[in-house]
Amino acid sequence: MKINDQQIKKWLLAEGENQQRLFKKARSIKEKIFGKRVWFRGLIEFSNICQNDCAYCGIRKGNKKPERFQMSWKEILACLKFIQKANYGSVVYQSGELTADLFKDYLLKIVRLTHQKFPELGITISCGEQDKKFLKALRKAGATRYLLRIETSNPKLYAKLHPQEMSWPKRFQCLKDLQDLDYQVGTGVMVGLPGQTIKNLIGDLHFFVENEFDMFGVGPYVIHQDTPLSKDLKVQQWWHQNKKRNFNLFLNFLAVLRILRPKVNIAAATAADVFDSLGRIKVLQVVGNVIMPSITPKDYRDKYLLYENKPCIDEDAEKCYDCLTQKIIHAGLIPVFGEQGNSPFYYQRKINV
Ligand code: 5AD
């Protein structure tokens, strides 16, 4: 579909009846491909150790408050057994970004063992920027999908939100490497970042389409008090005053993405629940076809706070299973178990190359 920037802008700013019309269009496109089905992936946040200092993130290296952890293989195995019992078709391993050899060896071991013991599970990795050789080894060990949000497609805005050592071109190159290695590649941005314009968001959508990503994780930006961004009082005030606007912008952004890319997987980001207790469900009703319930053990959840008011931190995997399946069924959607849920766009892309 050809993108007309004027139309996209109208959609992004839609309210009231116009917004409902936009949602209806996005929903009908989504349902043509996925029906009312929602794929489940068990999310294991296995380490909060991070070498980066992103200005928005609660587990940034410079924040000394959270106690740092790395789950043992025994703990991870218990999570995998839960995933098997719940019959979620995939596991997502997420952590802070670390490029130390010790960490890389450990991650490789986790992926290898997971693939050996649970060959039917889809394995997704979300552990930041890594070098191509290592990504190749992970792919060989059984990982088939990788999530790496570009955070913003605009290198100038990126530079404002990240320390000098982090480079937009390097991040982009990592996404290209992943595509080259035949991963299903997921990316995304945060919507409602301080300093982010409508033009930036239109640029993000172009970036997504031009680079042919298979999966998306897009979430609303949420303030965290122990980060440099929230120390700016203007940002704090702006964020609190624009919560409703930003949540709407986030939903509209995803609706446009679905219109532009009918066959991609779109996950309902947990951060949506900060704005509305049914945030994730609203995403699934309009555009999303993937949910990633947390399997992270209760003891670690309050140490993995990327943003404030993260939901479900006093819950365990069982509770998240019950709560989300009930909410999904109540919303007229169908939880799907026992399927890996690969991106249909990935297969289409493979036929075309
Ligand atoms: N608000 C919303 N999302 C955040 N992330 C990190 N910090 C925040 C925040 N304050 C997102 C980033 C990252 C993903 C794992 O979590 O987009 O890629």
Side-chain angles (χ1 to χ4, degrees):
M1 183 179 185
K2 190 98 190 83
I3 321 174
N4 168 335
D5 286 0
Q6 254 342 78
Q7 178 59 57
I8 294 180
K9 187 173 174 185
K10 260 195 216 153
W11 276 334
L12 289 177
L13 298 172
E15 289 177 49
E17 271 180 32
N18 286 338
Q19 189 181 43
Q20 288 313 312
R21 230 173 284 137
L22 167 68
F23 286 177
K24 205 171 150 197
K25 190 176 168 77
R27 184 184 302 131
S28 86
I29 289 174
K30 180 196 72 143
E31 289 186 356
K32 255 190 216 137
I33 309 289
F34 299 101
K36 293 188 181 291
R37 294 155 56 87
V38 179
W39 282 317
F40 277 62
R41 325 232 184 272
L43 172 66
I44 307 178
E45 295 145 323
F46 70 94
S47 162
N48 66 351
I49 304 170
C50 191
Q51 67 191 26
N52 289 339
D53 242 329
C54 308
Y56 44 83
C57 183
I59 63 163
R60 62 200 299 273
K61 175 177 71 176
N63 185 8
K64 302 296 175 208
K65 286 193 186 164
E67 188 193 319
R68 302 288 164 167
F69 70 90
Q70 179 179 282
M71 282 167 61
S72 67
W73 168 247
K74 205 172 147 209
E75 289 170 312
I76 292 172
L77 189 58
C79 293
L80 290 168
K81 286 190 177 148
F82 177 86
I83 289 176
Q84 190 175 45
K85 190 178 81 180
N87 202 15
Y88 294 165
S90 295
V91 57
V92 181
Y93 286 115
Q94 196 185 77
S95 69
E97 182 173 307
L98 261 192
T99 50
D101 285 343
L102 219 58
F103 175 79
K104 292 201 303 200
D105 291 347
Y106 186 50
L107 180 56
L108 198 56
K109 181 178 140 192
I110 293 172
V111 171
R112 213 170 266 144
L113 285 171
T114 306
H115 191 54
Q116 273 166 17
K117 290 184 188 294
F118 305 87
E120 69 293 347
L121 267 191
I123 304 177
T124 307
I125 309 292
S126 176
C127 300
E129 289 169 44
Q130 300 290 347
D131 65 80
K132 194 167 180 181
K133 189 167 157 239
F134 177 55
L135 294 172
K136 191 173 177 183
L138 284 175
R139 180 78 183 82
K140 210 169 147 222
T144 52
R145 313 182 186 119
Y146 205 104
L147 302 171
L148 179 69
R149 289 190 184 172
I150 192 74
E151 312 300 358
T152 168
S153 66
N154 184 292
K156 278 195 191 136
L157 181 59
Y158 186 90
K160 281 188 196 152
L161 299 167
H162 298 92
Q164 253 185 356
E165 314 83 79
M166 289 179 74
S167 120
W168 190 94
K170 206 171 143 241
R171 201 166 183 84
F172 181 51
Q173 184 56 47
C174 186
L175 286 165
K176 290 277 149 206
D177 290 346
L178 288 161
Q179 282 179 330
D180 213 33
L181 294 166
D182 195 29
Y183 277 92
Q184 291 174 57
V185 182
T187 193
V189 296
M190 283 173 281
V191 176
L193 285 164
Q196 184 182 50
T197 61
I198 295 296
K199 215 170 146 195
N200 290 152
L201 291 171
I202 296 173
D204 293 340
L205 290 161
H206 280 291
F207 175 82
F208 292 167
V209 170
E210 277 160 21
N211 291 292
E212 308 222 295
F213 295 110
D214 308 302
M215 330 183 281
F216 291 92
V218 170
Y221 163 67
V222 182
I223 207 150
H224 188 298
Q225 61 176 348
D226 301 317
T227 58
L229 262 193
S230 79
K231 297 284 177 278
D232 182 339
L233 289 180
K234 268 200 222 124
V235 167
Q236 231 186 73
Q237 211 179 22
W238 171 85
W239 189 79
H240 285 286
Q241 283 170 355
N242 286 279
K243 271 175 104 166
K244 190 157 178 262
R245 175 229 179 232
N246 287 341
F247 186 62
N248 273 329
L249 194 57
F250 156 70
L251 289 177
N252 293 352
F253 181 87
L254 280 183
V256 181
L257 176 58
R258 178 55 83 198
I259 292 168
L260 298 175
R261 274 292 184 243
K263 290 188 177 173
V264 295
N265 279 351
I266 299 182
T270 312
D273 282 18
V274 175
F275 293 76
D276 181 327
S277 61
L278 289 175
R280 274 183 287 180
I281 300 298
K282 288 186 176 168
V283 171
L284 294 175
Q285 278 179 315
V286 180
V287 295
N289 64 304
V290 171
I291 187 125
M292 310 199 306
S294 175
I295 312 295
T296 310
K298 213 164 149 181
D299 287 353
Y300 294 128
R301 293 194 182 200
D302 62 349
K303 300 176 181 67
Y304 204 89
L305 303 182
L306 310 181
Y307 46 83
E308 275 170 35
N309 298 317
K310 191 173 175 200
C312 321
I313 60 161
D314 49 5
E315 296 176 4
D316 58 14
E318 197 94 38
K319 181 96 192 293
C320 286
Y321 173 93
D322 289 342
C323 168
L324 284 169
T325 46
Q326 273 171 31
K327 280 183 181 168
I328 284 171
I329 291 167
H330 189 75
L333 300 165
I334 306 164
V336 179
F337 298 106
E339 288 183 18
Q340 289 195 359
N342 293 311
S343 163
F345 184 78
Y346 169 77
Y347 294 111
Q348 181 184 309
R349 185 161 70 80
K350 300 266 299 175
I351 292 167
N352 291 340
V353 285

